[in-house]
């Protein structure tokens, strides 16, 4: 995992997931988790971008 990916996972989780997986169910799940709370979105981004 690159430094850029780590920074994006923390600051903008949906963008990091989009860069790795594109527009799909993983991206939509991350957007919803980020809207519910920032921490769930960050955790999900780190899990799917490992």
């Amino acid at each position: 995992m690159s430094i850029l990916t780590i920074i994006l996972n923390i600051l903008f989780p949906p963008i990091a997931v989009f860069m790795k997986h594109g527009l799909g169910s993983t991206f939509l799940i991350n957007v919803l988790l980020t809207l519910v709370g920032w921490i769930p979105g960050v955790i999900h981004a780190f899990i799917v971008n490992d």
Side-chain angles (χ1 to χ4, degrees):
M1 192 178 307
S2 70
I3 295 295
L4 177 63
T5 305
I6 293 170
I7 292 169
L8 285 175
N9 279 345
I10 295 170
L11 298 178
F12 305 109
I15 294 173
V17 173
F18 173 75
M19 286 176 54
K20 174 97 178 202
H21 298 282
L23 289 175
S25 61
T26 306
F27 173 73
L28 294 175
I29 290 170
N30 190 269
V31 169
L32 290 173
L33 286 171
T34 304
L35 290 174
V36 168
W38 176 71
I39 296 295
V42 171
I43 293 170
H44 180 259
F46 273 106
I47 290 172
V48 299
N49 284 333
D50 62 7

